[in-house]
Amino acid sequence: MDGGPRAFDAARSQAAVRAARARIPEVRQRPCVVRLVDASGRPRAGVRVEAVQVRHAFPFGDMVWPLDAMAREGRWDSPRARAWRQRFAEMFNAATHLCYWTERPRHDASKTEERQGEVRVENFAQTVEWSLAHGMRAKGHPLFWSIPKAVPDWVQRYDHATAWKFAEVRVRSLVARFRGRIPVWDAVNEPMWEAAFKNLASRQWPHLETLDNLVEYIAPILRWGREEDPAAQFLLNDYGMETDYPNPLTGNDGSTVTAASQRKRYLALVRALQDAGVAPDGVGLQSHTGWIDHAWQGELYDEMSSAGVPVHITEFWADTKELQASGRYPAEEIEAMQADYIAGYLTCAFAHPSVEAFSFWGFMGTGIAWNDAGNSGHDLKPVWNRVYALIHDEWRTRESLVTDADGVVRFRGFLGEYELRFPDRTPASRARRFTHTREQTGAWEFVVG
């Protein structure tokens, strides 16, 4: 790279988005072959079929904090909650569910053990079961966050060895309880900026912990999780990798903290965990820190993928506070600019081969203007329509085809679940379902009467 993030440049960013859009078919589509035969195994030629993608393999998601709050407040069946769930399911195929040990004092967040012995995961479980019922991929956030506000007071009263045992019980219990239902966890949250658990009392943000201390507490968490659910993925999740803070930051060790220095430490941590035999299944990038140049975005993913594990965009948002404060633009223009930026950011992420998942952090508030009455009334903002058009139109395969003499149709499509439909045949010719994957090498074969 040539020195890191650059100032946002509209023309350069637009060119990067155009290039990304052109790459998407190569990165996200694969050839697919379907063969139709009769009951005797003879090819069915001349049959008109429609190959319709009904679900993406790539996870597009958002966090469910508002729904979690409505569940805790007894408003799960309120008009607002029903409308919220309907809109979420229309847009996304993945959801990030909140399971903080505690989270205070700023946030009315899901607290799973604020008081000793009172394990409360009812609302967490309720939102997880809802997302699974709608075919979404559920992710748990987070298993462990080494920051004073996220560790209950009662835990911090104990000596380190005892407190660490409570942490182990928490991690193992959560993963075991949701084994097979939550396939992805943010295992450790924001380690690049926080003290190791044993040094929590001396935490001074930004706290640049040594690699040895980071590995010492992160490696067991990854092991505990995998022992309880070997099939699940366990990620690291962090922020501040894209742009520098407006004012220079000095770490607890006296060093200057920049986005570049944090990326270097993040990659070094992944490699140290690999050397310890407990590599994470991915690195999460939160993308909270302002609007970045889309050309730089691709370079960022290139750098972060150099550790050899997938990149997950975990908590993306793009607020408009600076644009509003400038007083230079009317509200409608700001909304249009925000829609352009978010659509471009999502496009560049989807176009990069190392990016494995994309999750917003609060899109249900960014893309929807909910009325103040708390009922179901709302308006969709421009960014909602732009993102919906990308996920459900531009990046969704729908092909009308006719089988050849061998009963075969071929197409190149996005990975995911498909229905093969027969528009000219009787209702008895039900649609056939199949999953288009990278691993599929032969033809899908279906008997059609």
Side-chain angles (χ1 to χ4, degrees), residues 79-393:
R80 169 65 61 84
R82 290 196 297 269
W84 197 98
R85 293 197 299 272
Q86 178 183 345
R87 287 299 188 186
F88 193 103
E90 285 175 5
M91 180 67 82
F92 297 117
N93 67 345
T96 298
H97 303 269
L98 310 176
C99 57
Y100 298 102
W101 206 353
T102 188
E103 223 284 20
R104 62 181 191 277
R106 294 176 297 135
H107 294 139
D108 177 30
S110 177
K111 303 172 177 65
T112 58
E113 201 176 4
E114 173 75 6
R115 296 177 179 83
Q116 187 170 7
E118 294 183 13
V119 179
R120 304 296 301 271
V121 294
E122 298 87 350
N123 52 286
F124 178 65
Q126 188 172 14
T127 61
V128 167
E129 295 305 326
W130 168 77
S131 66
L132 295 179
H134 287 78
M136 300 177 198
R137 189 195 72 164
K139 182 172 81 167
H141 172 85
L143 283 176
F144 193 78
W145 190 6
S146 188
I147 186 173
K149 71 172 184 175
V151 178
D153 289 338
W154 64 266
V155 174
Q156 298 182 58
R157 292 199 305 266
Y158 290 92
D159 63 86
H160 174 66
T162 304
W164 193 229
K165 269 300 186 184
F166 282 120
E168 179 179 358
V169 170
R170 165 185 158 75
V171 171
R172 288 187 181 278
S173 297
L174 268 176
V175 176
R177 176 164 178 168
F178 292 93
R179 176 173 176 157
R181 289 182 289 167
I182 297 181
V184 185
W185 295 89
D186 285 330
V188 179
N189 201 40
E190 302 176 0
M192 293 295 92
W193 299 87
E194 300 297 337
F197 189 48
K198 69 181 182 181
N199 294 329
L200 208 59
S202 61
R203 181 250 191 188
Q204 176 189 325
W205 188 91
H207 196 112
L208 305 187
E209 194 60 82
T210 67
L211 276 184
D212 287 345
N213 285 347
L214 288 172
V215 171
E216 182 183 41
Y217 91 89
I218 292 173
I221 294 169
L222 296 173
R223 290 193 187 101
W224 299 335
R226 288 176 178 143
E227 287 170 3
E228 299 300 335
D229 190 351
Q233 292 181 306
F234 297 91
L235 313 177
L236 305 182
N237 186 44
D238 227 311
Y239 66 97
M241 306 293 157
E242 300 89 352
T243 61
D244 296 336
Y245 278 79
N247 298 314
L249 294 177
T250 301
N252 61 304
D253 61 355
S255 66
T256 300
V257 184
T258 65
S261 68
Q262 288 293 67
R263 291 194 304 276
K264 183 178 180 180
R265 294 181 67 243
Y266 204 7
L267 292 170
L269 172 60
V270 174
R271 294 183 181 114
L273 289 166
Q274 290 169 336
D275 291 343
V278 283
D281 294 301
V283 291
L285 297 178
Q286 296 183 7
S287 304
H288 288 179
T289 46
W291 295 21
I292 67 172
D293 188 289
H294 293 311
W296 157 246
Q297 190 182 343
E299 296 174 22
L300 169 67
Y301 300 153
D302 288 343
E303 182 179 2
M304 297 310 299
S305 65
S306 67
V309 297
V311 174
H312 289 235
I313 311 306
T314 55
E315 302 183 22
F316 172 73
W317 76 56
D319 66 38
T320 59
K321 292 177 182 177
E322 290 186 11
L323 291 175
Q324 292 170 353
S326 73
R328 297 169 55 192
Y329 308 99
E332 296 80 5
E333 188 173 350
I334 290 175
E335 287 193 349
M337 294 167 68
Q338 183 187 43
D340 285 343
Y341 175 73
I342 291 177
Y345 194 100
L346 182 59
T347 297
C348 290
F350 191 54
H352 199 282
S354 294
V355 175
E356 194 171 77
F358 190 106
S359 182
F360 291 90
W361 194 260
F363 184 82
M364 292 293 289
T366 300
I368 301 177
W370 299 96
N371 65 27
D372 294 332
N375 58 34
S376 61
H378 63 276
D379 295 306
L380 301 179
K381 296 182 180 180
V383 67
W384 175 279
N385 297 321
R386 289 289 298 281
V387 170
Y388 187 93
L390 289 175
I391 296 174
H392 296 280
D393 295 322

